[in-house]
Amino acid sequence: MARRLAIIGGDAAGMSAASTARRRDPDLEVVAFERGPYSSYSACGIPYYVGALFDDPDRLISRSPDEHRANGLTLFMRTEVTAIDLDARRLTVVDRQSGDERSEPFDELVYATGAEAVAPPIPGAEATEPVRTVDAAERFRAALERGGDHQHVVVIGGGYIGLEMAEALVQRNIATTLIEAAPQVMGTLDADMAAHVQDAAEGLGIRVLVGTAVEEILLDPLGAPRAVRAGGETIDADHVVMATGVKPAVALAEDAGIELGPSGAVRVDDHQRCPGHDGVYAAGDCAESWHRILEQPVNIQLGTHANKQGRIAGANLTGGDLAFPGVIGTAVSRLCRYEVARTGISEREAGQADIAVVAAEVKDKTRAGYFPGAGPIWVKLVCEPGTGRLLGGQIVGVEGAAKRIDVLATCVWAGMTVDEIELLDLGYAPPYSGVYDPVLVAARAAAKRIS
Ligand SMILES: Cc1cc2nc3c(=O)[nH]c(=O)nc-3n(C[C@H](O)[C@H](O)[C@H](O)COP(=O)(O)OP(=O)(O)OC[C@H]3O[C@@H](n4cnc5c(N)ncnc54)[C@H](O)[C@@H]3O)c2cc1C
């Protein structure tokens, strides 16, 4: 009898594990269960679909169920796993269309259920739908297109997803208010860098309210949002986008006795194995990752980690020996012309973790000052006092600003000091930077501060 691998969750982590395992062991039977209608979709592309950068939602699907099936995988779509029995090696699954329940056996298991939105405890929040899946994005875009001119949308939550959705809306000439309870947008940046993002958002015409808690979402007689009460005012809203954060989807694992770690996500070792449960793996947004700078497990929900962790789980359960090396919190995002990026730890995170740091911020230009189109770029570096080892970086700026974070991420990963970074051999030509790239200028500023 062929061994049977069951995958719970048919997106980035789950299907990377499925494809890798199947490729490495063609005799393995691989069965994936996905409660939604789409497999291997790019949630990352949803804001750009909502913003009408392209019209066909199928372009968000990197591999359809039929394409997976053609590669020898079995996929049960619209099928939810409702219980895991680790001793009996069986899953309880429910066909969401027929309501039929059945039991499915497995030898190995990959738990890849992702993350789920956390709606704040606000009256009316239950009437909103998080735009996290392709079908939800299709419904939201159709509603925008039915709404005609002069719509107003309130986005609740000023993290990168809230900002990307706000960007999508203003690009469609839809009046947009973004409300954030914290004193700044982009909580993953320090306040000084987040202020540049807020300026950029306001420059695009997004009304940004920070330090403002939403008190209530007012509903019309049919139960649809019609206004938001926040900060003492009532803001009319044809639609409300909830982007207030997510938590790892761990209930099913917890019920089965799979251990959670301190971050609240599924505990895994560096091979994506769930400790104490042979043949059980977890990957992606539902699982912990080791943070190489903070030296503790964290739960950072990004597609870039989900794909790699899924691949590693798929390799290891078919006899491989791959370790996931951990994360350093690298992320990029865009707000129309402005780009936002971060890696390592911020000054605030350092303070929270009792790590002493020295920080330096510079403002520079993205091209040689005389070159047409040069725009602003701010680079902030956080480094270890004494040694000058780079612990983190943040970048906000126009054209090409964000991907400079990859240089900083590589330096953080490699443990380089700002002295070493200051003289790195980076490319230069006037259309791309000044003779000293802003990254080098920031490194020099940081080196001066520690000397
Ligand atoms: C709007 C948006 C923009 C984003 N932009 C970026 C970006 O620019 N860069 C980046 O790196 N990341 C981005 N992300 C995050 C990225 O999409 C996720 O990190 C990635 O999808 C995680 O993959 P995953 O497989 O772990 O989880 P998911 O993609 O959440 O997949 C989990 C799947 O499991 C299914 N499932 C859950 N429970 C069950 C069950 N009991 N039975 C059956 N099926 C189940 C779910 O339906 C889901 O399809 C973005 C996310 C969103 C929502």
Side-chain angles (χ1 to χ4, degrees):
M1 278 272 286
R3 275 162 56 233
R4 192 175 207 240
L5 165 65
I7 309 269
I8 310 178
D11 193 23
M15 296 320 292
S16 293
S19 304
T20 304
R22 173 75 192 177
R23 203 169 40 247
R24 288 172 50 90
D25 182 355
D27 295 330
L28 183 70
E29 184 189 355
V30 183
V31 189
F33 302 93
E34 168 54 53
R35 67 181 170 200
Y38 293 105
S39 64
S40 298
Y41 51 91
S42 169
C44 315
I46 285 175
Y48 310 104
Y49 167 70
V50 169
L53 258 63
F54 55 93
D55 294 322
D56 181 359
D58 282 350
R59 292 181 65 183
L60 292 169
I61 314 300
S62 60
R63 207 165 281 172
S64 69
D66 284 342
E67 287 171 304
H68 281 302
R69 288 176 189 125
N71 288 334
L73 307 178
T74 303
L75 258 78
F76 291 107
M77 302 305 296
R78 300 181 198 265
T79 303
E80 181 160 6
V81 177
T82 54
I84 307 168
D85 185 335
L86 291 173
D87 295 329
R89 301 305 247 201
R90 296 199 81 88
L91 303 176
T92 305
V93 307
V94 174
D95 182 319
R96 292 181 94 182
Q97 282 171 304
S98 66
D100 292 345
E101 185 179 285
R102 64 181 193 276
S103 173
E104 292 272 358
F106 66 87
D107 296 296
E108 273 94 30
L109 179 70
V110 175
Y111 188 84
T113 51
E116 53 204 10
V118 191
I122 303 168
E126 68 287 351
T128 66
E129 183 184 29
V131 192
R132 295 184 50 80
T133 56
V134 178
D135 42 321
E138 285 178 284
R139 283 189 288 279
F140 181 47
R141 187 167 153 170
L144 291 174
E145 280 163 9
R146 276 196 308 273
D149 295 335
H150 310 301
Q151 296 179 78
H152 184 244
V153 178
V154 173
V155 178
I156 304 178
Y160 82 94
I161 292 180
L163 283 160
E164 286 179 1
M165 292 302 282
E167 170 194 347
L169 292 161
V170 293
Q171 281 189 327
R172 299 186 69 128
N173 294 318
I174 294 173
T176 304
T177 300
L178 182 138
I179 306 178
E180 168 58 56
Q184 65 172 77
V185 295
M186 286 296 290
T188 52
L189 301 184
D190 286 325
D192 47 358
M193 294 298 281
H196 305 310
V197 180
Q198 183 173 340
D199 287 348
E202 289 170 342
L204 295 170
I206 300 168
R207 182 173 178 233
V208 181
L209 303 176
V210 290
T212 307
V214 172
E215 292 137 29
E216 185 175 4
I217 298 167
L218 304 170
L219 307 181
D220 68 17
L222 296 175
R226 68 167 177 80
V228 170
R229 228 163 30 77
E233 65 173 304
T234 300
I235 305 162
D236 287 343
D238 298 290
H239 310 280
V240 174
V241 174
M242 199 63 93
T244 46
V246 291
K247 64 175 171 52
V250 294
L252 196 56
E254 216 178 352
D255 287 350
I258 295 172
E259 198 184 340
L260 306 186
S263 73
V266 175
R267 186 192 288 279
V268 287
D269 67 12
D270 67 353
H271 281 50
Q272 303 303 134
R273 296 176 290 226
C274 298
H277 301 290
D278 267 358
V280 180
Y281 296 73
D285 284 5
C286 62
E288 291 194 322
S289 305
W290 181 253
H291 197 294
R292 294 167 64 103
I293 305 298
L294 292 172
E295 298 188 340
Q296 64 185 45
V298 293
N299 177 233
I300 296 180
Q301 293 127 350
L302 287 174
T304 173
H305 309 322
N307 280 288
K308 292 176 192 134
Q309 292 177 350
R311 182 165 60 85
I312 286 171
N316 290 336
L317 66 86
T318 46
D321 181 18
L322 293 185
F324 183 66
V327 302
I328 55 170
T330 309
V332 289
S333 162
R334 194 190 74 169
L335 193 58
C336 289
R337 214 178 136 233
Y338 278 81
E339 304 175 7
V340 183
R342 53 102 64 215
T343 189
I345 58 172
S346 65
E347 214 178 347
R348 185 178 44 243
E349 285 168 331
Q352 287 162 349
D354 275 334
I355 300 173
V357 291
V358 172
E361 182 186 333
V362 298
K363 180 180 182 192
D364 203 346
K365 291 237 160 56
T366 52
R367 305 179 181 187
Y370 54 82
F371 200 92
I377 175 171
W378 292 266
V379 181
K380 178 171 181 175
L381 300 185
V382 170
C383 59
E384 193 171 65
T387 65
R389 179 168 76 106
L390 186 69
L391 300 178
Q394 298 161 60
I395 301 179
V396 179
V398 299
E399 49 137 32
K403 284 300 270 180
R404 284 179 163 98
I405 206 68
D406 291 340
V407 172
L408 293 179
T410 307
C411 296
V412 170
W413 192 276
M416 290 176 71
T417 65
V418 285
D419 280 337
E420 292 168 321
I421 297 166
E422 183 188 340
L423 294 173
L424 269 182
D425 181 9
L426 302 184
Y428 157 67
Y432 301 110
S433 71
V435 68
Y436 283 99
D437 188 271
V439 161
L440 305 183
V441 177
R444 189 181 328 150
K448 277 192 193 140
R449 296 217 46 199
I450 55 161
S451 59

